[in-house]
Amino acid sequence: MKRRNFVKKAVLSSMVTVIGYDIVFGAIMPEGYEPLALQGSDPYKMFKKDKEMVILNDKPWNIEAKAHLLDDKITPNKYMFIRNNGLIPNTINAKNWTLTIDGESVVQKKTYTLAELKSKFNQYTYQLTLECGGNGRSEFDPPAKGNQWTVGAVSCAKWTGIRLRDLLEDAGIKDNAVYIGYHAIDTHLSMDPNKEPISRGAPVAKALQDETLLAFKMNGEDIPLAHGYPLRLIAGGWPASVSGKWINRISLRNKVHDGTKMKGTAYRVPCEPAEPGKKVSDEDMCIIESMPVKSLITYPKSGAMINKGEKLNIRGHAWAGELEVGKMEYSIDFGSTWEKCSIEKPVNRLAWQHFYATIDFPKKGYYEVWARATDTQGVSQPMILPGWNPKGYLNNACHRIAVKII
Ligand SMILES: Nc1nc2c(c(=O)[nH]1)N[C@H]1C(S)=C(S)[C@@H](COP(=O)(O)O)O[C@H]1N2
Ligand SMILES: [Mo]
């Protein structure tokens, strides 16, 4: 018979941290055993998500919306996607929470309490678009490994916090600063306390933008636990992996941050178009920065039936990373001809924009409505899948819905 192995000390101690209580007989717990307290209960209740949200993975938790659920101008929590690389911390002591600014390029390493952050610095509120770099991955061919996001890994909530710039300037930024890197308290899937699930960042120029926040509120309330309570970074318009949740340390780096998921194929794409399925050498991979132009029809739901003679009012959102969307169009003939939609200005920089159109269908039958956004530099969404990349990032192909005229 195989000898029964006991759980490793480091793993046990991280389980204790996550559960928040001493595991009394923990030392004799079998290796690989998962205490009930760490197993999920009903995720919809646990995360206060709508029943129509789709669970892609429970370890770690990854949950996405459907297009028609994202109809609100400001995304409420119940329709906001969840993307985790590791385990969500389940005991947070916000009273004792601190944030440390350190790194090679900080003038003076400083640690702040959450209360200090809230009282010492001005607070700002912005609506900011967060889209996972892998949103749309499910369409890639050859298939890309990872969560098979369809269209629902995007949100635009209202975030309140302090400017990262104000904080970095308070600690002092040396001239040689290049990048910031975040560190958070979530647990690596292996439970190894020495491993971080993710530790990404952004060039200093992005960190210093007005809209780059260290946020403590989402839609006017404490940030829900799954979305980064009590403190998260928000860098709108960039892959949402830059927006670290549960942040307790930000390092000012004198080089490109080299934390977990900054290298290899993680959040990097071939700098030049690559042949599908072909291996791209490391030096030919570039870190994803601003997200590409994209849009989503949020009304009606795909499959809508309309009576002949009735007009259909469609609506949705469009966004373009660091840029604005300048033009929005729709097609009902598979992209042969395009008609203009009206499009609103964003409420603030890096917030998605709303579009509308009224469509008159010529006769009974099956149609598809395709939507296409063009950014202010004249770059449009592709009608079919854009450039292949190993991890299936940046799919900004036109969104489409089916409509039947009866
Ligand atoms: N600490 C931490 N921050 C994180 C992640 C994570 O796993 N751990 N995932 C990142 C990724 S890949 C995305 S897409 C966004 C998702 O944010 P949300 O779950 O609030 O929608 O959080 C980012 N921040
Ligand atoms: Mo992501």
Side-chain angles (χ1 to χ4, degrees):
M1 206 173 86
K2 235 179 112 191
R3 200 175 70 90
R4 180 174 136 144
N5 291 320
F6 298 120
V7 62
K8 292 210 172 59
K9 261 204 179 131
V11 170
L12 179 63
S13 86
S14 77
M15 285 179 176
V16 167
T17 310
V18 174
I19 294 174
Y21 285 90
D22 181 30
I23 305 174
V24 176
F25 294 110
I28 53 169
M29 191 161 66
E31 190 174 27
Y33 180 76
E34 187 186 33
L36 295 174
L38 294 178
Q39 295 174 13
S41 54
D42 179 355
Y44 295 97
K45 279 197 194 129
M46 193 158 65
F47 301 125
K48 298 199 171 71
K49 296 295 172 189
D50 185 86
K51 281 281 185 218
E52 278 193 83
M53 296 287 283
V54 181
I55 295 170
L56 300 182
N57 195 353
D58 62 357
K59 211 172 194 189
W61 285 110
N62 285 291
I63 301 177
E64 78 166 328
K66 293 176 180 168
H68 71 279
L69 300 178
L70 292 169
D71 194 41
D72 297 271
K73 289 187 169 182
I74 302 173
T75 313
N77 177 54
K78 65 180 173 180
Y79 297 137
M80 207 165 155
F81 78 99
I82 297 179
R83 161 65 172 132
N84 290 305
N85 292 267
L87 303 174
I88 299 176
N90 78 356
T91 45
I92 299 269
N93 191 339
K95 277 211 177 87
N96 296 334
W97 192 271
T98 59
L99 175 78
T100 298
I101 307 291
D102 66 3
E104 304 93 356
S105 298
V106 73
V107 173
Q108 196 199 344
K109 176 178 164 181
K110 276 195 177 179
T111 296
Y112 306 82
T113 64
L114 202 53
E116 278 171 331
L117 295 179
K118 290 181 184 175
S119 61
K120 251 185 102 169
F121 301 93
N122 287 335
Q123 298 185 13
Y124 301 86
T125 298
Y126 300 108
Q127 228 189 296
L128 297 163
T129 308
L130 290 187
E131 182 179 16
C132 180
N135 196 22
R137 173 179 294 138
S138 63
E139 285 186 51
F140 277 100
D141 189 27
K145 283 205 192 101
N147 289 291
Q148 296 300 302
W149 305 106
T150 64
V151 295
V154 61
S155 65
C156 193
K158 211 156 76 176
W159 297 93
T160 302
I162 62 171
R163 284 188 174 142
L164 179 59
R165 181 179 68 217
D166 292 347
L167 192 67
L168 295 179
E169 283 173 353
D170 189 68
I173 309 168
K174 285 191 192 162
D175 288 344
N176 65 355
V178 170
Y179 229 85
I180 59 121
Y182 67 72
H183 297 276
I185 66 148
D186 44 344
T187 307
H188 193 271
L189 287 177
S190 66
M191 290 287 215
D192 182 340
N194 300 315
K195 285 190 185 156
E196 289 176 293
I198 190 167
S199 168
R200 303 198 68 246
V204 167
K206 177 65 179 170
L208 298 184
Q209 283 183 0
D210 282 358
E211 300 82 6
T212 301
L213 298 179
L214 268 171
F216 32 77
K217 281 192 180 264
M218 184 184 107
N219 296 338
E221 289 171 10
D222 282 346
I223 300 174
L225 176 64
H227 295 292
Y229 178 78
L231 191 67
R232 87 174 288 181
L233 187 61
I234 297 284
W238 283 43
S241 53
V242 177
S243 297
K245 309 191 271 192
W246 316 290
I247 296 294
N248 66 356
R249 178 154 77 95
I250 290 182
S251 304
L252 263 165
R253 306 299 312 269
N254 63 1
K255 56 180 178 189
V256 174
H257 181 56
D258 51 2
T260 307
K261 307 229 164 166
M262 286 299 294
K263 289 191 186 142
T265 54
Y267 304 102
R268 302 205 310 167
V269 292
C271 309
E272 302 297 332
E275 198 184 303
K278 215 182 129 202
K279 191 158 168 27
V280 182
S281 68
D282 210 52
E283 59 284 6
D284 293 328
M285 296 287 283
C286 286
I287 298 173
I288 302 169
E289 300 201 325
S290 175
M291 292 292 284
V293 62
K294 198 162 170 180
S295 60
L296 201 57
I297 304 166
T298 59
Y299 184 88
K301 188 175 165 173
S302 186
M305 309 247 244
I306 311 290
N307 290 321
K308 166 108 185 58
E310 267 176 38
K311 286 181 178 159
L312 173 65
N313 292 312
I314 62 157
R315 61 175 180 260
H317 317 293
W319 59 96
E322 285 282 319
L323 300 173
E324 266 184 35
V325 175
K327 186 168 74 173
M328 190 68 216
E329 298 159 295
Y330 73 86
S331 172
I332 59 167
D333 56 10
F334 302 106
S336 300
T337 60
W338 294 87
E339 300 289 331
K340 275 212 168 134
C341 303
S342 47
I343 179 139
E344 291 179 0
K345 283 270 169 198
V347 285
N348 53 251
R349 216 175 77 76
L350 311 180
W352 64 18
Q353 297 165 245
H354 316 297
F355 67 84
Y356 310 86
T358 301
I359 309 180
D360 216 348
F361 293 91
K363 57 182 191 180
K364 284 186 186 176
Y366 174 87
Y367 296 85
E368 286 186 10
V369 180
W370 293 13
R372 181 171 74 180
T374 302
D375 70 25
T376 44
Q377 288 181 353
V379 176
S380 299
Q381 289 183 256
M383 276 189 266
I384 49 156
L385 217 61
W388 179 88
N389 61 85
K391 280 276 178 79
Y393 296 122
L394 307 182
N395 177 5
N396 67 334
C398 290
H399 181 229
R400 46 205 78 185
I401 59 165
V403 176
K404 280 183 196 136
I405 307 299
I406 52 173

